[in-house]
C-alpha cells in the first residue's frame, strides 16, 4: 500500500510513502509540450495528467492539495487541479483533500513572523522557505522543489489519516497535526 501526496501546479509535486512513512517515490511532474504564456497549454496539461495516470496504482491512498484561495492564476490552477482529479477518478480511485493552510499547519507554519504585537505576514518565498525548514527539522526531509516538499507533507498526512481511520498509532502526533487529520477525517 502506498500513500500519495500530490501538490498540483504547472510543476506538480508527488511523493509516495509506505505505511511507516518511508519514501518510495519523490518526483516533480511537468507537462511536456509548447508553453502557454502565463499558464499551461492543453498539450502540457494532458501530458501532466498522463504522467499522473501512469504512476497511480490500485490501492493507493491519495491526498491532494486544494487550490489556494485567491490565487492569481485561477484559470490555470483550475485546469490543473480539475485535470489531475479527473485522472484519479478515471483510474477508479478516490482521494482526500487538504487545504493549503492545513499543509502549512501540519508542520507548524503559521504564515506569520515576528514577536507578539509586531507580527507580519510571510510573503510567498518566505512562506515556502519556512515550510521547507519545518519539513527538514521535523522529518529530516528536504528537496530542491517546494512542490515536492509540500507533497511530502501531504503524503505524511495521508499516512496518518489512514492510521487514524484504522485505529493504528500515528506517526505524527503533535496536537496541530492531529487536528489537521481529524478535520480531514470528519469531512469524509
Amino acid at each position: 500500500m502506498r500513500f500519495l501526496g500530490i501538490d498540483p501546479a504547472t510543476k506538480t509535486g508527488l511523493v509516495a510513502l509506505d505505511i511507516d512513512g518511508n519514501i518510495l517515490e519523490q518526483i516533480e511532474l511537468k507537462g511536456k509540450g509548447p508553453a502557454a504564456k502565463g499558464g499551461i497549454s492543453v498539450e502540457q496539461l494532458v501530458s501532466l495528467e498522463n504522467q499522473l495516470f501512469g504512476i497511480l496504482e490500485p490501492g493507493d491512498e491519495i491526498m491532494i492539495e486544494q487550490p489556494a484561495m485567491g490565487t492569481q492564476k485561477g484559470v490555470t490552477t483550475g485546469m490543473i487541479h480539475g485535470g489531475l482529479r479527473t485522472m484519479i477518478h478515471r483510474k477508479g480511485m478516490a482521494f482526500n483533500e487538504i487545504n493549503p493552510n492545513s499543509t502549512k499547519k501540519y508542520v507548524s507554519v503559521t504564515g506569520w513572523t515576528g514577536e507578539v504585537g509586531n507580527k507580519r505576514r510571510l510573503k510567498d518565498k518566505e512562506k515556502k522557505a519556512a515550510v521547507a525548514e519545518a519539513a527538514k527539522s521535523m522529518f529530516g526531509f528536504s528537496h530542491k522543489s517546494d512542490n515536492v516538499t509540500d507533497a511530502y507533507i501531504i503524503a505524511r498526512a495521508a499516512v496518518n489519516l489512514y492510521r487514524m481511520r484504522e485505529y493504528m498509532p500515528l506517526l505524527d502526533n503533535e496536537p496541530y497535526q492531529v487536528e489537521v487529520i481529524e478535520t480531514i477525517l470528519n469531512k469524509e
Side-chain angles (χ1 to χ4, degrees):
M1 174 174 274
R2 299 183 320 165
F3 299 87
L4 270 59
I6 303 172
D7 181 22
T10 53
K11 293 180 182 175
T12 293
L14 184 141
V15 172
L17 302 176
D18 68 14
I19 189 76
D20 297 316
N22 299 308
I23 298 171
L24 303 172
E25 184 169 5
Q26 55 182 320
I27 187 169
E28 186 172 70
L29 306 173
K30 185 175 186 325
K32 294 171 180 53
K37 185 178 180 185
I40 189 168
S41 68
V42 171
E43 293 88 349
Q44 288 174 314
L45 180 59
V46 170
S47 171
L48 180 61
E49 292 169 354
N50 288 340
Q51 289 173 57
L52 177 63
F53 191 81
I55 290 171
L56 298 175
E57 296 177 3
D60 284 345
E61 288 278 330
I62 303 166
M63 188 170 295
I64 189 166
E65 194 171 64
Q66 297 170 333
M69 294 301 291
T71 182
Q72 296 300 307
K73 296 183 179 180
V75 173
T76 298
T77 299
M79 289 171 56
I80 294 167
H81 282 259
L84 296 182
R85 283 165 175 73
T86 300
M87 280 298 113
I88 294 167
H89 181 74
R90 282 189 185 160
K91 197 86 170 194
M93 303 173 82
F95 58 87
N96 290 293
E97 294 181 297
I98 187 168
N99 181 287
N101 289 330
S102 294
T103 302
K104 292 168 191 62
K105 181 177 182 176
Y106 201 81
V107 290
S108 191
V109 172
T110 64
W112 293 88
T113 188
E115 302 301 318
V116 175
N118 193 26
K119 290 194 178 269
R120 69 171 180 80
R121 275 205 180 275
L122 294 172
K123 302 283 187 207
D124 292 333
K125 289 184 180 184
E126 290 177 306
K127 200 180 301 180
K128 291 176 190 304
V131 169
E133 181 55 39
K136 187 173 185 174
S137 66
M138 277 187 176
F139 309 121
F141 181 84
S142 65
H143 197 279
K144 65 182 178 183
S145 165
D146 55 279
N147 297 315
V148 174
T149 299
D150 284 357
Y152 176 79
I153 296 164
I154 296 164
R156 291 213 47 121
V159 169
N160 283 288
L161 176 63
Y162 175 84
R163 292 176 78 96
M164 185 177 279
R165 269 196 330 249
E166 299 300 319
Y167 299 105
M168 298 170 68
L170 300 180
L171 300 178
D172 306 327
N173 46 34
E174 293 293 336
Y176 49 86
Q177 294 167 328
V178 173
E179 186 178 324
V180 167
I181 299 307
E182 286 176 341
T183 299
I184 296 166
L185 182 65
N186 291 330
K187 287 184 181 177
E188 288 187 339

